[in-house]
Structure formats: C-alpha cells, structure tokens
Amino acid sequence: MPALCLCFNIHEPYQFRRYTVFDMGQSSVYEDDDRNCETMLRAARLCYLPAAEMLLRLVRRHEGAFAVSLCVSGTALDLFEQYTPEVTGSLCALAATGCVEFVAETSAHSLAFLYSREEFDRQVKAQSARIKKLFGKKPTTFMHTECVFNNDLAAALQQLGFKTALAEGADQVLGWRSPNWVYRPVSGPKMNLLLRNTALSDDMGLRFGDRGWSDWPLTADKFASWCHSLGDKADVINIYNDFHVFGLRHGQDSGIFDFMSALPEALLRDNHFRFATPGSIAGKRAPAGEVDVPQFVSWEESGHDLTSWLGNDMQKDAIHTLYSLAARVSASGDKMLLHDYERLQTADHFRHMSTKWFSGPRQDRPSPFDSPYDAYITYMNVLADFELRLEAAELAGKELKPRRARKNSLRSGTNASV
C-alpha cells in the first residue's frame, strides 16, 4: 500500500538591524525587534494560523486517515513565543491529535554539522528536548537545515539515536533509481532514509502559482492522479516543502488552501493509498537498497548543493570566521554569548550574502538588506563586536582565576605566593 508522506518545514530567522562600525563596542543589540515583530504578525495572520487550523480540520474530518509531519526550528519557536504565542498553541493542538509527527532539526537552523560536531550535537539535543517538552514526544526523525545531507551526517544521526533521516532525492544521489522507496544510508545501517520526490514537491512548493506553467492550475485531483500513477512503482512518496507555501509563497487567492483541503479526499479515493509520517514508516518497510551520499546535497532548487550559503568568498569568510570562535565561546561558559552565538549561526544570514541570481531571498523570505554586500558588511560588523565581547569575557575569566586561587589558599591556610 503506497504511502504519501507530507513534511513541512517551519522556520523563521531573527533579522539583523543596520549594524555599522560605529555601533561596534557601543551596542550589542544586533536584531531588529520592530521588523521581527512585523514579520511574525504578518506570517501568523497569512500563513501559520490559517494553515494550522486547516490541518486540524483535515485530521478531524478524516478521523486518523490523514497524517502530516512538521519540522520546527528553535528560532521559529523563540519568535512564536515572543510575538505570536497563539501559533505555538495551534501547533500543540495538532500534536494532541496523534496524527502529526514533529521532526527534529538544529535549534538555530544552522550549518553547524559542516564545521563543529560539538556544536551540532548540542543544538540537536537541545531542540529534541524542547520538541518533547512542547509536543509530548521525543523526535525519532531528523531533517537537517534545508534538507542538507551526506554520509557523515547519517552516521552522526545514528549515534544520536535517530531512526529516520529525510534528504533530497537528487539525481546525483539516486542515478537511475526512484525516490519513491525506503532506503538505507550506507553509513547508517540501522536507519531509514526517506528521499524527497523533487518533481512533485516542487509542483506544490514552487510551481503551484506559476500561471506560465503548462500544468497550471494544479488541482487536488490532478496531483492525486499523478501520485496514483506511481502506485505499482512506489512504496512511499515523500513531499517536503516550506510551510510558507501556505499563504506566503502562494497567497490565499492562489487556491493553495483549497488545494490542500481537497488533497486527502482525492488521494484516499484510491483505497490502495494512505497518508503516513516518517516515524510510522520506520521499521515497517524493508529498505530497497543502500544510498551512498559522499558529497553534501540539499533541496536548493538549482544544483541541490550548498552554494546558496557557501557559494562565494563573502559567505565562506563569514562562516569560517564564525566557527573559528566555537571552542572559545564554549569554553567561556557565558550564557549570553552562547545565546547570541547560536543566533549568529542561522543559515539565512549566509543566504542573504548569495550573489547567485537564482538563489537570492525568495518573496516569502525577503532580505532586510539592499544587497548581498550590505548583508556581509553588517554580519561582519556584528561578528567583530561579538568577538570584542568574547575577549572581554575571557579576560574577566583570567582575572577571576587568581582571585579564586587566593581565596581558596586562605581557606586552606596556605600562602598562594609561595
């Protein structure tokens, strides 16, 4: 019985204010509170609240036959808590149905795995614990930032106890094979690997509102018929998209809400099909084979690589400088520095620096900067101020150690100067 596995990524970044060299050493307020608030209120009104309500109606209407998974970043949860707590409430209502699986990712929606395994593990463990506390169940499925994946990541996820990984079904990964089967990562023999059906995912996520597309308008019946046509050539059809497809990337007037509302009935019309979550598939489907992913892939729409975040010298300079501080920040133990350091790792900061004409900020995720160069300059100014704070914390720590040693020696009755 083929399964349709829907997974939507819920992520929101904190956005920087115009931070200049004149702010360095004077102010360590990096984020634009007004812009963050405005962005979140708009996203809640147009996307999160109506889409969550729609999903809840579908779960109730189909009495357990409809299921969906959501991958929520830590920065999104922070912003919901700060500006739109009703969104968190709507996600909790979905969790209570038992038909929604919450998938883990890094708390900062970061690329930490590429540069610091210690930082990656810390973020994943913290986010998993937060998901369990909020939604009642520890996640067993993982989707990395922007669906980034390779063999080394699979091995790390298996060590962390995950049972399933989600990744992009890129041609360079699959070759002649289909993404519509359960696979096993070559470096994670105890794990399942569910690969995104790129064509069907992009039909919904990117092409839905394109009036120049030959298949426009996309209806639920049409989409379901494409899935049904794969019936004897599929075990699981994985559709992964950004939650912004509902109301932000595709406005309500595009028909996206009507499409999603009608999709379960259209798909379930063929009783050989069902909806499933990654967790419900784990251990129940024998892998069709192993997949070897030596190079990083992502769901980036062109190339399926990392160049949207690491494609030019500005991006590489910024991220290398950032992670060169990782050990020092960890050693400092300063809670505020650790908090700000995590926020600095959000992948959106580096995407804003992209100079690729096709991978700049999308309409639903506009950049706060006039150009990639402004984004880079602002980020490096912020990072320079952050390093000044780090140096001050390190100096204070060095000064504190002799005082502690002197205090301890006096308590023990010895002379510290001997």
Side-chain angles (χ1 to χ4, degrees), residues 273-292:
F273 278 76
R274 66 186 182 91
F275 285 89
T277 62
S280 69
I281 294 170
K284 297 180 181 178
R285 305 289 178 99
E290 286 189 337
V291 172
D292 185 13

PDB file of all heavy atoms in Angstrom, residues 273-292:
ATOM      1  N   PHE A 273      -3.963   3.699  -1.404  1.00  0.00           N
ATOM      2  CA  PHE A 273      -3.078   4.758  -0.912  1.00  0.00           C
ATOM      3  C   PHE A 273      -3.461   5.159   0.504  1.00  0.00           C
ATOM      4  O   PHE A 273      -4.621   5.046   0.913  1.00  0.00           O
ATOM      5  CB  PHE A 273      -3.136   5.985  -1.834  1.00  0.00           C
ATOM      6  CG  PHE A 273      -2.268   5.852  -3.047  1.00  0.00           C
ATOM      7  CD1 PHE A 273      -2.652   5.054  -4.111  1.00  0.00           C
ATOM      8  CD2 PHE A 273      -1.049   6.505  -3.124  1.00  0.00           C
ATOM      9  CE1 PHE A 273      -1.853   4.911  -5.229  1.00  0.00           C
ATOM     10  CE2 PHE A 273      -0.233   6.379  -4.243  1.00  0.00           C
ATOM     11  CZ  PHE A 273      -0.643   5.586  -5.300  1.00  0.00           C
ATOM     12  N   ARG A 274      -2.464   5.675   1.225  1.00  0.00           N
ATOM     13  CA  ARG A 274      -2.705   6.190   2.571  1.00  0.00           C
ATOM     14  C   ARG A 274      -1.700   7.295   2.876  1.00  0.00           C
ATOM     15  O   ARG A 274      -0.705   7.459   2.155  1.00  0.00           O
ATOM     16  CB  ARG A 274      -2.567   5.075   3.612  1.00  0.00           C
ATOM     17  CG  ARG A 274      -1.152   4.527   3.748  1.00  0.00           C
ATOM     18  CD  ARG A 274      -1.099   3.348   4.682  1.00  0.00           C
ATOM     19  NE  ARG A 274       0.257   2.845   4.855  1.00  0.00           N
ATOM     20  CZ  ARG A 274       1.099   3.241   5.804  1.00  0.00           C
ATOM     21  NH1 ARG A 274       0.706   4.179   6.669  1.00  0.00           N
ATOM     22  NH2 ARG A 274       2.310   2.738   5.900  1.00  0.00           N
ATOM     23  N   PHE A 275      -1.967   8.044   3.926  1.00  0.00           N
ATOM     24  CA  PHE A 275      -1.016   9.031   4.413  1.00  0.00           C
ATOM     25  C   PHE A 275      -0.198   8.404   5.541  1.00  0.00           C
ATOM     26  O   PHE A 275      -0.697   7.577   6.310  1.00  0.00           O
ATOM     27  CB  PHE A 275      -1.742  10.278   4.935  1.00  0.00           C
ATOM     28  CG  PHE A 275      -2.273  11.167   3.852  1.00  0.00           C
ATOM     29  CD1 PHE A 275      -3.542  10.965   3.334  1.00  0.00           C
ATOM     30  CD2 PHE A 275      -1.500  12.197   3.335  1.00  0.00           C
ATOM     31  CE1 PHE A 275      -4.035  11.771   2.324  1.00  0.00           C
ATOM     32  CE2 PHE A 275      -1.979  13.014   2.328  1.00  0.00           C
ATOM     33  CZ  PHE A 275      -3.249  12.803   1.824  1.00  0.00           C
ATOM     34  N   ALA A 276       1.059   8.811   5.653  1.00  0.00           N
ATOM     35  CA  ALA A 276       1.934   8.280   6.704  1.00  0.00           C
ATOM     36  C   ALA A 276       2.920   9.357   7.135  1.00  0.00           C
ATOM     37  O   ALA A 276       3.181  10.314   6.401  1.00  0.00           O
ATOM     38  CB  ALA A 276       2.674   7.046   6.209  1.00  0.00           C
ATOM     39  N   THR A 277       3.453   9.193   8.318  1.00  0.00           N
ATOM     40  CA  THR A 277       4.543  10.051   8.791  1.00  0.00           C
ATOM     41  C   THR A 277       5.830   9.236   8.763  1.00  0.00           C
ATOM     42  O   THR A 277       5.784   7.992   8.757  1.00  0.00           O
ATOM     43  CB  THR A 277       4.277  10.552  10.219  1.00  0.00           C
ATOM     44  OG1 THR A 277       4.208   9.412  11.099  1.00  0.00           O
ATOM     45  CG2 THR A 277       2.975  11.337  10.288  1.00  0.00           C
ATOM     46  N   PRO A 278       6.991   9.885   8.765  1.00  0.00           N
ATOM     47  CA  PRO A 278       8.254   9.122   8.732  1.00  0.00           C
ATOM     48  C   PRO A 278       8.370   8.117   9.870  1.00  0.00           C
ATOM     49  O   PRO A 278       8.842   6.996   9.673  1.00  0.00           O
ATOM     50  CB  PRO A 278       9.316  10.222   8.835  1.00  0.00           C
ATOM     51  CG  PRO A 278       8.658  11.444   8.290  1.00  0.00           C
ATOM     52  CD  PRO A 278       7.224  11.336   8.686  1.00  0.00           C
ATOM     53  N   GLY A 279       7.920   8.509  11.055  1.00  0.00           N
ATOM     54  CA  GLY A 279       8.011   7.609  12.205  1.00  0.00           C
ATOM     55  C   GLY A 279       7.156   6.371  12.063  1.00  0.00           C
ATOM     56  O   GLY A 279       7.517   5.286  12.547  1.00  0.00           O
ATOM     57  N   SER A 280       6.011   6.508  11.399  1.00  0.00           N
ATOM     58  CA  SER A 280       5.125   5.354  11.221  1.00  0.00           C
ATOM     59  C   SER A 280       5.651   4.391  10.168  1.00  0.00           C
ATOM     60  O   SER A 280       5.243   3.230  10.111  1.00  0.00           O
ATOM     61  CB  SER A 280       3.720   5.825  10.832  1.00  0.00           C
ATOM     62  OG  SER A 280       3.709   6.388   9.523  1.00  0.00           O
ATOM     63  N   ILE A 281       6.583   4.865   9.345  1.00  0.00           N
ATOM     64  CA  ILE A 281       7.176   4.017   8.299  1.00  0.00           C
ATOM     65  C   ILE A 281       8.384   3.259   8.827  1.00  0.00           C
ATOM     66  O   ILE A 281       8.668   2.137   8.403  1.00  0.00           O
ATOM     67  CB  ILE A 281       7.572   4.876   7.090  1.00  0.00           C
ATOM     68  CG1 ILE A 281       6.323   5.472   6.431  1.00  0.00           C
ATOM     69  CG2 ILE A 281       8.375   4.084   6.073  1.00  0.00           C
ATOM     70  CD1 ILE A 281       6.617   6.523   5.393  1.00  0.00           C
ATOM     71  N   ALA A 282       9.088   3.866   9.801  1.00  0.00           N
ATOM     72  CA  ALA A 282      10.326   3.285  10.320  1.00  0.00           C
ATOM     73  C   ALA A 282      10.110   1.863  10.813  1.00  0.00           C
ATOM     74  O   ALA A 282       9.231   1.586  11.625  1.00  0.00           O
ATOM     75  CB  ALA A 282      10.867   4.146  11.458  1.00  0.00           C
ATOM     76  N   GLY A 283      10.929   0.946  10.294  1.00  0.00           N
ATOM     77  CA  GLY A 283      10.884  -0.435  10.725  1.00  0.00           C
ATOM     78  C   GLY A 283       9.783  -1.263  10.099  1.00  0.00           C
ATOM     79  O   GLY A 283       9.719  -2.485  10.317  1.00  0.00           O
ATOM     80  N   LYS A 284       8.900  -0.643   9.317  1.00  0.00           N
ATOM     81  CA  LYS A 284       7.768  -1.373   8.731  1.00  0.00           C
ATOM     82  C   LYS A 284       7.946  -1.638   7.240  1.00  0.00           C
ATOM     83  O   LYS A 284       7.172  -2.377   6.654  1.00  0.00           O
ATOM     84  CB  LYS A 284       6.475  -0.601   8.982  1.00  0.00           C
ATOM     85  CG  LYS A 284       6.138  -0.462  10.459  1.00  0.00           C
ATOM     86  CD  LYS A 284       4.849   0.304  10.672  1.00  0.00           C
ATOM     87  CE  LYS A 284       4.546   0.460  12.164  1.00  0.00           C
ATOM     88  NZ  LYS A 284       3.327   1.247  12.411  1.00  0.00           N
ATOM     89  N   ARG A 285       8.910  -0.970   6.634  1.00  0.00           N
ATOM     90  CA  ARG A 285       9.181  -1.175   5.214  1.00  0.00           C
ATOM     91  C   ARG A 285      10.632  -1.621   5.044  1.00  0.00           C
ATOM     92  O   ARG A 285      11.536  -0.967   5.555  1.00  0.00           O
ATOM     93  CB  ARG A 285       8.950   0.114   4.413  1.00  0.00           C
ATOM     94  CG  ARG A 285       7.562   0.737   4.579  1.00  0.00           C
ATOM     95  CD  ARG A 285       6.503  -0.094   3.907  1.00  0.00           C
ATOM     96  NE  ARG A 285       5.172   0.449   4.087  1.00  0.00           N
ATOM     97  CZ  ARG A 285       4.527   1.186   3.195  1.00  0.00           C
ATOM     98  NH1 ARG A 285       5.105   1.465   2.046  1.00  0.00           N
ATOM     99  NH2 ARG A 285       3.318   1.628   3.446  1.00  0.00           N
ATOM    100  N   ALA A 286      10.837  -2.716   4.377  1.00  0.00           N
ATOM    101  CA  ALA A 286      12.204  -3.176   4.129  1.00  0.00           C
ATOM    102  C   ALA A 286      12.884  -2.239   3.136  1.00  0.00           C
ATOM    103  O   ALA A 286      12.314  -1.928   2.082  1.00  0.00           O
ATOM    104  CB  ALA A 286      12.180  -4.597   3.576  1.00  0.00           C
ATOM    105  N   PRO A 287      14.083  -1.727   3.453  1.00  0.00           N
ATOM    106  CA  PRO A 287      14.781  -0.840   2.528  1.00  0.00           C
ATOM    107  C   PRO A 287      15.010  -1.492   1.174  1.00  0.00           C
ATOM    108  O   PRO A 287      15.331  -2.678   1.075  1.00  0.00           O
ATOM    109  CB  PRO A 287      16.107  -0.550   3.240  1.00  0.00           C
ATOM    110  CG  PRO A 287      15.820  -0.790   4.683  1.00  0.00           C
ATOM    111  CD  PRO A 287      14.825  -1.907   4.712  1.00  0.00           C
ATOM    112  N   ALA A 288      14.822  -0.712   0.116  1.00  0.00           N
ATOM    113  CA  ALA A 288      15.014  -1.222  -1.246  1.00  0.00           C
ATOM    114  C   ALA A 288      16.487  -1.312  -1.616  1.00  0.00           C
ATOM    115  O   ALA A 288      16.837  -1.911  -2.632  1.00  0.00           O
ATOM    116  CB  ALA A 288      14.283  -0.314  -2.239  1.00  0.00           C
ATOM    117  N   GLY A 289      17.341  -0.714  -0.803  1.00  0.00           N
ATOM    118  CA  GLY A 289      18.770  -0.740  -1.081  1.00  0.00           C
ATOM    119  C   GLY A 289      19.487   0.337  -0.298  1.00  0.00           C
ATOM    120  O   GLY A 289      18.876   1.084   0.474  1.00  0.00           O
ATOM    121  N   GLU A 290      20.792   0.416  -0.495  1.00  0.00           N
ATOM    122  CA  GLU A 290      21.611   1.422   0.185  1.00  0.00           C
ATOM    123  C   GLU A 290      21.826   2.624  -0.731  1.00  0.00           C
ATOM    124  O   GLU A 290      21.868   2.484  -1.950  1.00  0.00           O
ATOM    125  CB  GLU A 290      22.965   0.839   0.574  1.00  0.00           C
ATOM    126  CG  GLU A 290      22.904  -0.118   1.755  1.00  0.00           C
ATOM    127  CD  GLU A 290      24.294  -0.498   2.250  1.00  0.00           C
ATOM    128  OE1 GLU A 290      25.252  -0.399   1.451  1.00  0.00           O
ATOM    129  OE2 GLU A 290      24.398  -0.886   3.408  1.00  0.00           O
ATOM    130  N   VAL A 291      21.974   3.787  -0.088  1.00  0.00           N
ATOM    131  CA  VAL A 291      22.258   5.009  -0.832  1.00  0.00           C
ATOM    132  C   VAL A 291      23.564   5.605  -0.320  1.00  0.00           C
ATOM    133  O   VAL A 291      23.741   5.786   0.891  1.00  0.00           O
ATOM    134  CB  VAL A 291      21.112   6.032  -0.675  1.00  0.00           C
ATOM    135  CG1 VAL A 291      21.505   7.370  -1.292  1.00  0.00           C
ATOM    136  CG2 VAL A 291      19.843   5.511  -1.332  1.00  0.00           C
ATOM    137  N   ASP A 292      24.460   5.887  -1.240  1.00  0.00           N
ATOM    138  CA  ASP A 292      25.772   6.457  -0.917  1.00  0.00           C
ATOM    139  C   ASP A 292      25.751   7.943  -1.274  1.00  0.00           C
ATOM    140  O   ASP A 292      25.512   8.308  -2.429  1.00  0.00           O
ATOM    141  CB  ASP A 292      26.847   5.718  -1.718  1.00  0.00           C
ATOM    142  CG  ASP A 292      28.248   6.164  -1.350  1.00  0.00           C
ATOM    143  OD1 ASP A 292      28.417   6.851  -0.319  1.00  0.00           O
ATOM    144  OD2 ASP A 292      29.194   5.843  -2.104  1.00  0.00           O
TER     145      ASP A 292
END
